[in-house]
Amino acid sequence: MKRFLALVFVFCLLFTVRTGVGDEAELMQQGAKGEAVTCVQMRLSDLGFYTYKPTGSFQTVTKSAVVAYQAASGIMSDGSIGEETLNALFSRGAKRVDFHAEIPLTYTAQGAIAQKGDPVSWDVIKAKLTAGESYTLINAATGDSVTLVFESGEGHAELTLPSGAAARITAVSTLTRWLGSTNSFYKCAVLFELDGQRVAASMQWDGQERVCVYFRDSVSHVLSLPDAEHAANIKKVSY
């Protein structure tokens, strides 16, 4: 497994170098998607600035990590990645964060599962979701709920917080209570309400805007690989 991950990283490094380092590097900024973004996220993670699984989508968490890296490296902290930032990231002397004695992984504040749902596959769910529509997630242990807005999804559903100020405050409070933290590694077993049906699912929040929801047969952004922890959550809440 370690050898596989090392090979993936080498591929990403070579891919990134070919896409601009040494020539005129194309500016990468919030909203960008693709393999180059995944490579940058993996490198930021290796250096300790990015504490979320690589998604290939350059959103607020990635921008914050880039800003932190730039500030630590003496580069103008604008949150976008140009030639200077890219060269610094992949250099031998790349800045690393200080070592932390404790690294939280998949802790969740969720208690014993009290409610279960149908293990419907992601392909079936995906066909029924509408961008911009609101959907309800139910904590499988406590039974309380949160309403989020579906944005998009390839291997799994990507939702965002509601736009109204009061609704956003409520959503943030609820998600923080469910996970016990805003740490982006934490996951929670949930039920997803769709067409009057409760579907077994697992969610992960970036601590800011985005909530990823996995269903049976969902895969991650990273090389379309399955996520074992989400799969375990889904199994726990399936009939």
Side-chain angles (χ1 to χ4, degrees), residues 38-107:
T38 300
C39 293
V40 167
Q41 290 171 330
M42 291 176 68
R43 182 57 171 165
L44 286 167
S45 177
D46 176 58
L47 298 173
F49 290 90
Y50 183 76
T51 56
Y52 188 52
K53 289 186 178 181
T55 63
S57 180
F58 196 133
Q59 301 298 333
T60 52
V61 173
T62 303
K63 182 176 180 179
S64 295
V66 172
V67 167
Y69 176 78
Q70 290 171 326
S73 304
I75 301 171
M76 184 177 70
S77 305
D78 61 0
S80 61
I81 301 174
E83 185 171 352
E84 182 181 13
T85 299
L86 198 59
N87 277 318
L89 271 172
F90 289 93
S91 70
R92 282 184 173 271
K95 177 67 178 177
R96 296 178 181 272
V97 298
D98 294 333
F99 175 76
H100 294 287
E102 295 183 5
I103 302 177
L105 293 176
T106 57
Y107 166 83

Side-chain angles (χ1 to χ4, degrees), residues 46-221:
D46 176 58
L47 298 173
F49 290 90
Y50 183 76
T51 56
Y52 188 52
K53 289 186 178 181
T55 63
S57 180
F58 196 133
Q59 301 298 333
T60 52
V61 173
T62 303
K63 182 176 180 179
S64 295
V66 172
V67 167
Y69 176 78
Q70 290 171 326
S73 304
I75 301 171
M76 184 177 70
S77 305
D78 61 0
S80 61
I81 301 174
E83 185 171 352
E84 182 181 13
T85 299
L86 198 59
N87 277 318
L89 271 172
F90 289 93
S91 70
R92 282 184 173 271
K95 177 67 178 177
R96 296 178 181 272
V97 298
D98 294 333
F99 175 76
H100 294 287
E102 295 183 5
I103 302 177
L105 293 176
T106 57
Y107 166 83
T108 173
Q110 190 171 35
I113 300 301
Q115 303 185 42
K116 296 189 176 184
D118 297 316
V120 182
S121 72
W122 164 237
D123 285 342
V124 173
I125 296 296
K126 182 179 179 181
K128 296 182 178 182
L129 298 178
T130 303
E133 290 293 318
S134 296
Y135 296 91
T136 298
L137 295 182
I138 301 170
N139 189 313
T142 64
D144 60 329
S145 64
V146 64
T147 299
L148 303 170
V149 179
F150 176 65
E151 185 178 70
S152 61
E154 290 300 327
H156 57 267
E158 296 181 29
L159 297 95
T160 60
L161 301 182
S163 57
R168 287 175 64 85
I169 291 173
T170 298
V172 168
S173 175
T174 300
L175 292 172
T176 303
R177 186 175 70 256
W178 285 8
L179 300 171
S181 171
T182 57
N183 185 288
S184 58
F185 276 110
Y186 298 175
K187 300 170 184 177
C188 183
V190 296
L191 304 175
F192 188 92
E193 286 196 338
L194 182 64
D195 297 337
Q197 181 181 22
R198 290 188 171 187
V199 180
S202 178
M203 58 143 288
Q204 188 169 12
W205 179 39
D206 68 6
Q208 298 184 54
E209 293 288 333
R210 186 174 299 271
V211 174
C212 291
V213 181
Y214 281 61
F215 301 89
R216 181 169 63 84
D217 301 326
S218 281
V219 294
S220 71
H221 293 287

Side-chain angles (χ1 to χ4, degrees), residues 12-43:
C12 286
L13 176 57
L14 293 174
F15 178 86
T16 304
V17 171
R18 288 200 300 268
T19 55
V21 177
D23 298 316
E24 292 244 353
E26 181 179 350
L27 186 68
M28 188 187 305
Q29 54 192 345
Q30 188 167 351
K33 293 185 178 182
E35 293 182 9
V37 176
T38 300
C39 293
V40 167
Q41 290 171 330
M42 291 176 68
R43 182 57 171 165

